[in-house]
């Protein structure tokens, strides 16, 4: 996967970008693609919110920082009749150039194309194929991103298989969550995709698996002797995984109401983190070895009962000056009247295996909770044989996923002076302080790069999805 040279990329910090490029080479999966292969990236649903807010800003960041394969052509596809200029105008608030990057931004949009068509017409997909062929050279690799509602996954993937597969290179398909509304619809979608594509061609994206600190769970657990011996029911009292958003549905209540906070966050993002925190040591760090261990964890988790859950729905605060805060969930005009859809959920999971028997895994998530935070909090048991008159506080290892990525360990230390007065303090690894020169890629950047290099470590496998 050849990259543009560093001299062509004035953006940002050269040391951080070099670290990122070097790490990218280490995860390159060997393929038969020649170094001069051409690449096409297709965004299905290019006129939608996800494309505007996440996908196009991510593609611009990868292009700007010379992380995308050289010469990659980007195609937007949607039902809306638009030009690239109109698409650019839609993205003006999210795809931005800093001072000195204006020429690069022009080059980025010059590499973009747009095709309008329906999602169930083979003729329209054949037109897309013709447009891709016109810009491809020799060995052509194609990457398709389904930034679409689940209702059109089936027709789009069927048309893609019939008309848009690369005849000379690899074809990879990224599928956005949610993967169905329940076990039956999830299995139905999985069966449909299995008939069309091999597991190596499918990338079921859960962007939380692209978070730096989520991935760091594996390194912390299995690269440090200090944690390994205590990472079990003998030493750990509980594990709490929290996800908070400061805002409500913001006019997207109609979509959210179909799925709710459990399907939207708990069943995917938080359950994935639970697997990484609880799994046994994999044989290697290869994608399949890691995913094998995650599947074993999911098989050990009994079905959740309603008595182990707390559900809630946010209400507005009439005294707030913020109009969003004054609006409750049912005040959103896009939410069906009288909806009982939960916007908050807390649940206690148990893992029936030798390591974790009796340790509660508490998962909490919600919208409009006043702050943005995602973290994993491992609380250790009380020190046996206390000699400090009950002044000790339980140790905690906290992995802060967002914002301000960090790892800190809460420990008891003696305060300065003559007595044995204890005080809780923190051993703190804050990433922006420790790795000042690092370029931490955003989750979507990392995951799209993973697809380019062919690494499936941070994507959900079909058997893993079925167990979840």
């Amino acid at each position: 996967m050849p990259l543009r040279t560093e001299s062509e990329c004035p953006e940002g910090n050269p040391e951080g970008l070099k670290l990122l490029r070097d790490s990218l080479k280490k995860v390159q999966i060997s393929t038969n693609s020649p170094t001069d292969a051409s690449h096409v990236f297709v965004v299905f649903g290019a006129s939608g919110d996800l494309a505007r807010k996440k996908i196009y800003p991510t593609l611009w960041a990868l292009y700007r920082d010379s992380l995308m394969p050289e010469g990659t052509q980007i195609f937007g596809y949607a039902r809306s009749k638009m030009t690239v200029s109109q698409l650019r105008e839609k993205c003006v608030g999210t795809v931005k150039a800093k001072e000195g990057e204006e020429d690069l931004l022009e080059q980025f949009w010059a590499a973009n194309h747009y095709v309008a068509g329906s999602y169930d017409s083979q003729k329209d997909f054949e037109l897309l194929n013709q447009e891709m062929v016109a810009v491809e050279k020799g060995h052509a690799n194609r990457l398709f991103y389904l930034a679409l509602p689940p209702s059109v996954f089936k027709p789009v993937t069927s048309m893609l298989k019939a008309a848009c597969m690369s005849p000379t290179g690899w074809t990879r398909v990224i599928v956005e969550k949610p993967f169905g509304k329940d076990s039956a619809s999830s299995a139905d979608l999985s069966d449909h995709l299995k008939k069309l594509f091999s597991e190596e061609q499918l990338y079921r994206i859960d962007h939380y698996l692209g978070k730096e600190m989520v991935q760091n769970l594996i390194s912390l657990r299995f690269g440090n002797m200090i944690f390994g011996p205590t990472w079990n029911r003998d030493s750990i009292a509980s594990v709490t995984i929290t996800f908070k958003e400061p805002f409500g549905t913001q006019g997207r209540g109609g979509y959210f109401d179909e799925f709710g906070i459990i399907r939207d966050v708990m069943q995917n993002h938080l359950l994935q983190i639970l697997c990484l925190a609880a799994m046994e040591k994999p044989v290697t760090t290869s994608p399949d070895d890691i995913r094998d261990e995650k599947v074993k964890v999911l098989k050990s988790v009994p079905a959740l009962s309603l008595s182990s859950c707390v559900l809630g729905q946010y209400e507005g605060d009439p005294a707030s000056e913020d109009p969003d805060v004054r609006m409750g969930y049912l005040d959103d005009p896009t939410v069906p009247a009288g909806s009982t859809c939960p916007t908050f959920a807390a649940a206690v999971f148990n893992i029936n295996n030798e390591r974790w028997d009796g340790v509660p895994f508490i998962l909490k998530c919600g919208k409009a909770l006043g702050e943005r935070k995602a973290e994993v909090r491992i609380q250790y048991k009380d020190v046996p044989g206390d000699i400090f008159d009950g002044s000790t506080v339980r140790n905690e290892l906290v992995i802060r996923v967002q914002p301000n990525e960090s790892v800190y360990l809460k420990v008891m230390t003696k305060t300065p002076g003559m007595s044995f007065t204890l005080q809780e303090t923190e051993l703190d690894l804050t990433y922006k302080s420790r790795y000042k020169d690092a370029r931490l890629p955003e989750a979507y950047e990392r995951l799209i790069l993973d697809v380019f290099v062919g690494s499936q470590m941070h994507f959900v496998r079909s058997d893993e999805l079925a167990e979840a």
Side-chain angles (χ1 to χ4, degrees), residues 375 377 396-400 406-410 426-429:
E375 67 177 23
R377 191 171 290 263
E396 286 188 337
L397 174 65
V398 182
I399 297 105
R400 174 68 60 83
S406 57
V407 180
Y408 56 93
L409 180 63
K410 293 187 173 186
E426 296 171 354
L427 303 177
D428 185 3
L429 166 60

Side-chain angles (χ1 to χ4, degrees), residues 154 157-158 161-162 165 187-199 201-202 204 462:
K154 279 186 163 184
T157 49
S158 295
K161 177 68 174 179
M165 301 291 283
D188 181 54
L189 178 59
S190 289
D191 290 343
H192 171 79
L193 293 174
K194 278 183 189 176
K195 292 172 184 175
L196 301 176
F197 310 107
S198 67
E199 192 66 40
Q201 293 174 312
L202 281 172
R204 299 172 188 85
S462 57

Side-chain angles (χ1 to χ4, degrees), residues 19-41:
L19 282 171
L20 186 52
R21 290 193 188 96
D22 289 346
S23 69
L24 191 58
K25 291 173 185 174
K26 293 178 182 178
V27 296
Q28 174 81 51
I29 305 299
S30 59
T31 67
N32 295 322
S33 281
T35 55
D36 61 348
S38 64
H39 294 80
V40 167
F41 190 106

Side-chain angles (χ1 to χ4, degrees), residues 200-390:
E200 291 71 30
Q201 293 174 312
L202 281 172
Y203 291 75
R204 299 172 188 85
I205 195 167
D206 182 333
H207 76 270
Y208 251 65
L209 289 177
K211 299 281 188 183
E212 181 74 28
M213 300 313 297
V214 173
Q215 296 181 8
N216 210 5
L217 266 169
I218 294 174
S219 305
L220 281 171
R221 287 194 57 196
F222 304 119
N224 296 286
M225 188 62 185
I226 191 172
F227 296 126
T230 63
W231 206 271
N232 53 52
R233 61 189 173 93
D234 295 328
S235 301
I236 292 176
S238 66
V239 178
T240 303
I241 304 169
T242 304
F243 173 96
K244 294 181 178 181
E245 283 185 330
F247 48 81
T249 50
Q250 297 183 324
R252 297 182 67 246
Y255 168 82
F256 181 85
D257 203 78
E258 286 187 50
F259 299 98
I261 197 70
I262 294 175
R263 293 190 189 97
D264 194 43
V265 175
M266 184 178 286
Q267 185 267 336
N268 37 70
H269 301 336
L270 301 195
L271 212 51
Q272 286 292 328
I273 296 174
L274 179 150
C275 289
L276 293 173
M279 72 182 191
E280 297 299 315
K281 188 175 186 177
V283 178
T284 71
T285 56
S286 74
D288 276 333
D289 285 342
I290 289 174
R291 295 192 291 184
D292 284 346
E293 296 304 328
K294 286 160 67 181
V295 169
K296 290 178 187 176
V297 173
L298 292 169
K299 286 183 175 180
S300 301
V301 178
L304 196 63
S305 65
L306 198 56
S307 61
S308 300
C309 302
V310 175
L311 304 178
Q313 191 181 84
Y314 71 86
E315 294 182 343
D317 178 4
S320 174
E321 296 181 3
D322 187 334
D324 283 341
V325 176
R326 288 200 300 270
M327 182 181 287
Y329 181 67
L330 295 178
D331 298 324
D332 185 332
T334 63
V335 172
S339 170
T340 57
C341 175
T343 64
F344 171 86
V348 180
F349 288 80
N350 295 293
I351 301 174
N352 290 342
N353 63 20
E354 186 177 8
R355 180 182 294 274
W356 296 113
D357 188 32
V359 178
F361 280 72
I362 304 159
L363 276 54
K364 300 189 289 186
C365 52
K367 303 182 81 66
L369 293 178
E371 65 176 327
R372 176 176 178 260
K373 183 169 76 172
E375 67 177 23
V376 184
R377 191 171 290 263
I378 292 100
Q379 186 177 90
Y380 284 78
K381 291 184 175 180
D382 292 319
V383 176
D386 176 39
I387 60 173
F388 297 105
D389 299 323

Side-chain angles (χ1 to χ4, degrees), residues 62-136:
L62 296 178
Y63 183 90
R64 178 198 64 204
D65 291 344
S66 306
L67 297 170
M68 189 180 287
E70 186 177 3
T72 298
Q73 298 294 303
I74 301 165
F75 281 81
Y77 184 98
R79 287 182 287 223
S80 306
K81 294 190 182 299
M82 280 197 301
T83 63
V84 172
S85 296
Q86 290 170 320
L87 177 61
R88 179 175 181 173
E89 185 63 31
K90 279 179 71 81
C91 297
V92 73
T94 55
V95 178
K96 302 176 183 178
K98 296 178 184 175
E99 187 177 350
E101 296 174 349
E102 294 84 0
D103 288 345
L104 263 181
L105 186 61
E106 293 301 323
Q107 293 169 30
F108 169 74
W109 284 112
N112 273 264
H113 313 264
Y114 185 84
V115 177
S118 74
Y119 292 134
D120 57 1
S121 166
Q122 186 164 329
K123 181 180 177 182
D124 290 342
F125 278 73
E126 288 169 353
L127 174 62
L128 172 63
N129 186 63
Q130 290 171 18
E131 296 290 326
M132 289 190 289
V133 169
V135 301
E136 291 173 332

